[in-house]
């Protein structure tokens, strides 16, 4: 297995410049499409009005059309009657004025009648002035004027303007066609995979094609996912050759571009055409390859989903937009303060996914897992922080630019809950959004103590906490100590059962904490500062068991579900956590404690309408029912203020 | 023709409340769709992970899987060799670890070899630690956890997270179905209309259905435009009855809801079901009717396109979003200073379309035509200013809230040109956008003098001007007088021919300005302060003709093309304007003057990168060629600084 080395990483801007310049002469071609199929398409040339709108002088009101000169002298005292069909003409809004007419009198200002000859008349009590209530020819658009410039993406308003100007088949760019070639012998097409196969580890589903197709559509392109190609240089070469000779403008080879053993894409590009870039100084996304084969753009995108996304957004979408002469609007930006120090390796530009909340006017950024495989870090992220290549990282609380992945209103509609994790928080978020669209509960899991510290530093709106105090009472001692000077209320979210999470059937016969000292039992611990860890350490002391005697005491996870997952996978044979987590994964549960999980809410956020709306959801029957269904929760005091801390 | 009166206008908020509450129990229903068809759909229930991701401990790198415990003691001096297939296993990124393994060593840290028995080995120079380079089971998602809450609109990232969590057929809301019933005896379907028919005034095209369909799609709905219904109460009743008994969730009756003579929709709703609202205090959009027929929502939307759009956005899109539990993100907002006083009738909330430009850090709002029929006022607008119902208007320069219709970056990328209109400005905008995506030249037409005044007040970045001075020189005198204290440069855009625009063939035989005094000749004038008006008045004085002697002197238009349109329509038999305008509409042209059209650019905006980029476009061969093609332009000095004003 020979090893590939990146000869030289190219800086992102330089790589993009090479890529865009390399295809600056590439032409997509254009086509005329009828308006009802043109939504979302991009004008390939300025659209010039073919007719004026209106194309004639038309009535702007329902009433009578007439010549203003015929009405001079009319007054309330001396109403003027005009014969209908001769001097006045009934007219509907939008209809062309009869010849000789230059004004419309509204129907409510006309008195119908008959003249001496019995002919129909209308009487006016006021003279009309010329052009009153008339939509003049060309008032909206004059023939030949430019309605919309080239590069305009056609939305509802634009379609209307084109229709008004008689541009019934606008000239738009042909949709760029994108082929995605997934490569990897172990991959299975998503539509051949069942959840059962996934759970059994029997299939690695290919879903980057799905994600990249959606991103291609967002950029106005038409994607095709080609069949999966096994990791054989010859087969990849054949696939790239065929795709670049086919109808595609951009060919994306996904995976096979890491610097590992199966790195065939760059070689393929170099052999079949020109390889311009191999390796970009971004993370995730480093193993990107860029080049041209048979005149077509070929992008080698890394295999991990987050890497593939960033690579495709930076190079694929940019090129597709440029070809259509349209702009991908930059994401809204702001400055955010990192919740914690964010280290970074100098020499690469780090793309960090973060959750965001605006607390006391300051935007707080809580980092999500960095792994390029955690696709949920994209769907959960509110924003993206880039750490420039030369930097060694960003310091906590030092403002850094952040690009929003959601509309700013959604960031501002969110409450940031930092603290202990509990599954009911996710439930609460889901129910709250439904009850009050535009709201969201953004939660980050740093343990109970971390949450209280965050509150004290103004880095969260609320914190979930279940810290057993030395007095045997939950949360009060820790709040009093941590939040000195910050009055707050404790609202009970739920009582919950904590206990040992064990493999199904409890094969090792673990009957209590004392058994964790047995050599055949491996424990998975929670991180320092979490309520569960505090509880565990306290119970260990009570039974006189040394931490060192617990096999796996140093192995930590950050959530109840992660602990349960560790037990399920056999990584550990016991963990401490909530019953709901054990139930979720079908594991055994040995109850040890009934603990109190509270929301700690600083007084200054109490009257925030978002907070009151959230608390209404906490107290709603829907939340009660959904939390009860999870199992292991006591909900009798849910939503009650259980303690007020004076600060 | 009996007349309808609004009994009582309902305030917008109250009307929306009635409407949304009336349908709060209406259920769209949900369906499972495969992921590759789910882009843009809305989750009807929280999506819970069906499998963990990864579903097993997997390799995060290419290399060898092994048990960390087997590697203790390995060092550079004493490399440790492990037999492949026994203690070490070649593994590719993403593959599950073999049983007993808990770590991966990267391929570049392994030395292949053979042991004494000739078996394949890999040697390590460093011990592995447990779980290194391993993606643990559930690292991304743990089975049962909520991946995404209900109401989430599925984009690329969300599709990826669902795939990772094994949610291969998410439960999404059925697409709400919207029927649009266009009513109006005079309307013709858009696909039966040709530009020729439009130009001849032989057809009123029905295009609101096109616009409302696009807006419905934007709100996640599936629109159908039903056949046009003539203005007969019975036929409208039949159409509404059939549609509400059909598969549609929302039925929009377009037109027929004005208070004019053909106002059948409210009566229809009242007769067939319940009419909740008739008349909302918004302008445009007042004749909106809201109610329920056969359990379905019925919206009577006014006939003018801008009214229909505002009515549909406020009531149609809002209801569609609410049904899907999703939010229509509010448009980005800012404060803008009106370019001029904006009067408003107290009692109605006015929706004003405006162009926007950020000048010296202040956002300037230039109003577009208010007419509800000017659909181009939507496609040209950058923002929307609402004048609250009680207000009598907004004062010039007093900051007022504005909602952006474009991404803020496009507003900030724009230069605001206020001044004289010339067709080459539209050309310039179109070419500039193509050369430098993200830029736009926003131009507003207030005449040359108005432009210079705007520059002096900091309300524009640049102004187009062609003011003939008393010295016979263009622009310098006016700039010196108006911009005292504001240094500026004059850049030639073009020389252009001004002259009399006459009907084709010049039927009245107009041979010069003197003929404008003839009783059979009607003139169409330009507004005071425009360069053309200054030129006209000066030439009249030179030949000793009194303004009062010119028939139509008081009838004013604001652009060259509007003057040409007035001549084309027979509203006037002569106007003064540029040759290009006459050529555009196929009119005769009698040249009188060669004038100098300059861009006036204050010194402090000169080095703005946008301005330099714009000037590059002015000097480009593409602009030269396109302007020459319009006819009547002299381009020898185009792009040159013709004068520098020291202030």
């Amino acid at each position: 297995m020979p090893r590939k080395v990146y000869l030289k990483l190219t800086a992102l801007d330089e790589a993009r410049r090479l890529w865009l310049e390399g295809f600056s002469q590439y032409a997509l071609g254009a086509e005329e499409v009828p308006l009802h199929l043109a939504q979302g398409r991009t004008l390939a040339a300025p659209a010039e009005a073919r007719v004026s709108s209106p194309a004639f002088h038309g009535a702007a009101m329902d009433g009578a059309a007439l010549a203003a000169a015929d009405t001079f002298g009319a007054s309330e005292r001396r109403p003027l009657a005009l014969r209908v069909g001769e001097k006045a003409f009934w007219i509907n809004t939008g209809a062309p004025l009869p010849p000789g007419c230059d004004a419309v009198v509204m129907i409510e200002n006309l008195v119908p009648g008959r003249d001496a000859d019995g002919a129909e008349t209308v009487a006016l009590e006021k003279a009309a002035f010329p052009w009153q209530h008339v939509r003049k020819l060309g008032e909206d658009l004059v023939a030949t004027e430019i309605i919309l410039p080239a590069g305009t993406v056609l939305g509802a308003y634009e379609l209307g303007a084109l229709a008004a100007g008689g541009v019934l088949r606008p000239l738009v760019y042909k949709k760029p066609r994108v082929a995605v070639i997934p490569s990897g012998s172990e991959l299975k097409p998503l539509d051949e995979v069942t959840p059962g196969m996934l759970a059994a580890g029997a299939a690695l589903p290919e879903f980057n094609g799905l994600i990249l197709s959606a991103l291609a559509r967002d950029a106005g392109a038409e994607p095709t996912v080609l069949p999966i190609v096994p990791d054989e240089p010859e087969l990849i070469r054949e696939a790239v050759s065929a795709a670049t000779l086919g109808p595609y403008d951009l060919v994306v080879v996904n995976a096979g571009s890491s610097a590992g053993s199966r790195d065939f894409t760059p070689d393929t590009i170099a052999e079949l055409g020109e390889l311009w870039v191999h390796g970009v100084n971004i993370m995730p996304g480093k193993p990107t390859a860029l080049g041209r084969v048979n005149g077509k753009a070929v992008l080698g995108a890394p295999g991990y989903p987050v890497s593939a996304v960033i690579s495709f957004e930076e190079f694929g979408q940019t090129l597709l937009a440029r070809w259509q002469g349209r702009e991908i609007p930059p994401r809204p930006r702001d400055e955010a303060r990192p919740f914690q120090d964010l280290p970074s390796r100098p020499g690469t530009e780090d793309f960090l996914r973060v959750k965001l909340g605006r607390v006391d006017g300051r935007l707080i950024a809580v980092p999500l897992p960095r792994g390029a495989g955690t696709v949920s870090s994209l769907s959960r992220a509110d924003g993206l922080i880039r750490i420039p290549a030369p930097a060694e990282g960003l310091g906590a609380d030092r403002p850094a630019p952040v690009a929003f992945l959601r509309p700013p209103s959604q960031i501002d509609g969110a409450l940031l809950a930092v603290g202990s994790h509990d599954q009911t928080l996710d439930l609460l978020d889901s129910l709250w959004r439904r009850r009050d669209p535009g709201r969201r509960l953004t939660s980050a899991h740093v343990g109970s103590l971390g949450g209280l510290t965050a509150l004290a530093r103004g880095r969260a709106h609320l914190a979930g906490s279940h810290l057993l105090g030395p007095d045997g009472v939950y949360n009060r001692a820790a709040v009093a100590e941590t939040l000195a000077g910050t009055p707050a209320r404790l609202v009970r979210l739920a009582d919950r059962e904590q206990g040992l999470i064990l493999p199904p059937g409890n094969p090792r016969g673990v009957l209590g904490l004392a058994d964790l000292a047995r050599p055949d039992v491996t424990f998975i611990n929670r991180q320092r500062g979490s309520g569960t860890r505090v509880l565990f350490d306290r119970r260990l002391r009570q039974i006189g068991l040394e931490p060192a005697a617990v096999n796996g005491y140093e192995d930590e996870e950050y959530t109840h579900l992660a602990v349960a997952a560790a037990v399920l996978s056999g990584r550990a044979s016991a963990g401490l956590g909530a019953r709901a987590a054990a139930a979720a994964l079908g594991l055994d549960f040995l109850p040890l404690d009934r603990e109190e999980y509270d929301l700690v809410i600083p007084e200054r956020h109490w009257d925030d309408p978002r907070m009151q709306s959230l608390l209404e959801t906490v107290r709603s029957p829907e939340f009660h029912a959904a939390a009860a269904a999870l199992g292991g929760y006591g909900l009798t005091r849910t939503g009650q203020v259980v303690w007020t801390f004076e600060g």
Side-chain angles (χ1 to χ4, degrees), chain A:
Chain A
M1 282 184 144
R3 185 187 152 211
K4 288 251 165 48
V5 186
Y6 299 112
L7 289 177
K8 187 174 153 289
L9 286 185
T10 310
L12 175 58
D13 286 349
E14 170 67 6
R16 204 163 28 206
R17 195 187 58 73
L18 285 168
W19 176 243
L20 295 178
E21 281 185 8
F23 294 104
S24 61
Q25 299 305 312
Y26 188 89
L28 285 180
E31 59 186 340
E32 288 186 352
V33 298
L35 284 176
H36 68 278
L37 298 179
Q39 189 175 8
R41 302 293 292 268
T42 310
L43 282 184
E48 290 174 14
R50 297 193 57 179
V51 298
S52 297
S53 171
F56 44 78
H57 300 318
M61 292 283 178
D62 292 347
L66 38 73
D70 289 344
T71 67
F72 294 154
S75 69
E76 269 181 63
R77 268 195 269 169
R78 301 184 54 183
L80 180 80
L82 298 174
R83 202 177 265 201
V84 174
E86 212 167 282
K87 292 281 188 183
F89 307 84
W90 292 118
I91 195 162
N92 285 331
T93 304
L97 296 198
C101 295
D102 66 359
V104 170
V105 177
M106 285 162 67
I107 187 154
E108 43 264 63
N109 297 331
L110 293 170
V111 182
R114 299 267 163 196
D115 65 11
D117 301 337
E120 184 187 6
T121 60
V122 287
L124 297 78
E125 299 186 335
K126 210 169 83 177
F129 52 89
W131 307 110
Q132 78 175 27
H133 302 319
V134 173
R135 291 193 66 217
K136 295 179 208 162
L137 183 153
E139 184 178 287
D140 189 2
L141 293 165
V142 177
T144 74
E145 75 177 299
I146 294 179
I147 308 174
L148 296 166
T152 302
V153 179
L154 302 178
Y157 299 171
E158 289 75 19
L159 294 175
L162 292 176
V167 183
L168 306 179
R169 295 179 64 88
L171 187 71
V172 297
Y173 285 110
K174 285 188 180 161
K175 280 193 173 205
R177 295 196 61 180
V178 176
V180 179
I181 303 175
S183 94
S185 306
E186 70 288 2
L187 294 176
K188 264 213 162 15
L190 201 54
D191 55 8
E192 294 177 14
V193 163
T194 63
M197 289 161 71
L198 294 177
L204 259 190
E206 195 297 293
F207 57 74
N208 283 355
L210 175 77
I211 307 177
L212 300 184
S213 293
L215 291 174
R217 275 186 217 105
D218 288 344
E222 191 178 308
T224 307
V225 181
L226 297 176
I228 295 165
V229 179
D231 288 314
E232 311 266 352
E234 187 50 43
L235 297 177
I236 293 175
R237 206 152 34 227
E238 276 173 25
V240 171
S241 179
T244 50
L245 291 170
Y248 307 107
D249 303 290
L250 167 64
V251 175
V252 182
V253 188
N254 188 226
S257 22
S258 80
S261 56
R262 295 172 303 151
D263 182 9
F264 304 132
T265 311
D267 284 354
T268 302
I269 300 175
E271 282 164 33
L272 296 175
E274 302 161 52
L275 177 68
W276 298 332
V277 170
H278 176 209
V280 181
N281 74 339
I282 54 175
M283 182 82 83
K286 190 166 74 170
T288 295
L290 304 171
R292 178 164 52 196
V293 174
N294 294 320
K296 304 299 183 63
V298 179
L299 163 63
Y304 275 124
V306 182
S307 313
V309 162
I310 290 177
S311 179
F312 189 81
E313 288 182 345
E314 294 298 323
F315 298 102
Q317 287 192 323
T318 313
L319 184 62
L320 294 170
R322 181 65 62 93
W323 275 340
Q324 296 168 81
R326 74 197 239 182
E327 191 209 11
I328 296 181
R331 294 168 170 141
R333 275 159 205 287
D334 204 336
E335 297 237 297
R337 290 155 197 266
F339 186 82
Q340 64 206 54
D341 286 339
L342 302 174
S344 167
R345 188 191 296 185
T348 59
E349 186 171 342
D350 268 16
F351 286 60
L352 255 71
R353 287 81 70 202
V354 296
K355 291 198 165 229
L356 293 170
R358 201 177 293 280
V359 185
D360 300 324
R362 292 176 171 190
L363 200 58
I364 307 295
V366 188
L368 282 156
R370 291 191 181 196
T374 49
V375 60
S376 69
S377 70
L378 286 170
S379 63
R380 287 179 173 154
D382 300 315
L384 208 58
I385 287 182
R386 292 183 176 203
I387 306 180
E392 287 186 21
L394 299 174
D397 264 344
R398 302 275 292 270
V402 63
F404 288 178
L405 296 172
R406 312 187 182 287
S409 61
Q410 289 191 4
I411 310 288
D412 291 333
L415 287 177
L416 182 60
V418 173
S420 170
H421 177 252
D422 186 81
Q423 280 177 274
T424 56
L425 289 176
D426 298 328
L427 263 188
L428 186 56
D429 173 38
S430 201
L431 291 171
W432 189 30
R433 294 187 196 206
R434 190 179 298 196
R435 286 172 60 103
D436 197 352
R439 305 302 191 193
R440 48 178 63 216
L441 182 65
T442 297
S443 62
H445 314 134
V446 301
S448 296
L449 198 61
L452 296 181
T453 310
L455 281 189
R457 294 188 182 162
R459 292 181 189 168
H461 293 107
L462 72 163
S465 177
H466 56 111
L467 285 165
L468 180 57
D471 51 357
V473 174
Y474 274 88
N475 292 325
R476 296 191 191 182
V479 165
E481 189 177 333
T482 325
L483 290 187
T486 304
R489 298 191 207 186
L490 269 61
V491 173
R492 178 62 39 83
L493 188 64
D495 302 326
R496 66 178 185 187
E497 273 185 290
Q498 287 264 41
L500 286 174
I501 298 176
L502 302 164
N506 191 7
R508 285 187 179 75
V510 173
L511 299 175
L513 289 180
D515 286 340
L516 299 183
R518 280 165 42 190
D520 62 326
V521 173
T522 324
F523 186 68
I524 172 75
N525 208 347
R526 286 291 307 283
Q527 88 278 18
R528 209 171 291 269
S530 67
T532 304
R533 174 69 166 265
V534 169
L535 178 68
F536 183 58
D537 289 344
R538 190 177 157 90
R539 293 291 178 241
L540 282 191
R541 273 197 304 279
Q542 286 174 337
I543 61 169
L545 195 63
E546 285 296 313
V550 175
N551 189 6
Y553 183 87
E554 302 296 337
D555 197 5
E556 297 179 350
E557 277 294 351
Y558 283 76
T559 68
H560 296 268
L561 277 172
V563 164
V567 173
L568 179 70
S569 70
R571 177 176 149 211
S573 45
L576 190 61
R579 179 188 283 274
L585 298 192
L587 299 170
D588 271 24
F589 184 75
L590 181 69
L592 293 179
D593 271 282
R594 183 143 206 106
E595 64 172 11
E596 298 172 357
Y597 186 100
D598 294 326
L599 300 177
V600 185
I601 302 170
E603 198 56 44
R604 70 180 188 285
H605 297 314
W606 184 261
D607 289 327
D608 185 320
R610 293 171 299 184
M611 192 66 79
Q612 287 303 313
S613 169
L614 178 75
L615 291 174
E616 272 172 35
T617 306
V618 170
R619 295 178 193 124
S620 70
E622 294 94 319
F623 177 68
H624 202 285
L630 289 175
Y633 288 100
L635 300 155
T636 47
R637 302 197 65 189
T638 293
Q640 293 180 18
V641 176
V642 293
W643 191 53
T644 301
F645 173 56
E646 303 293 345

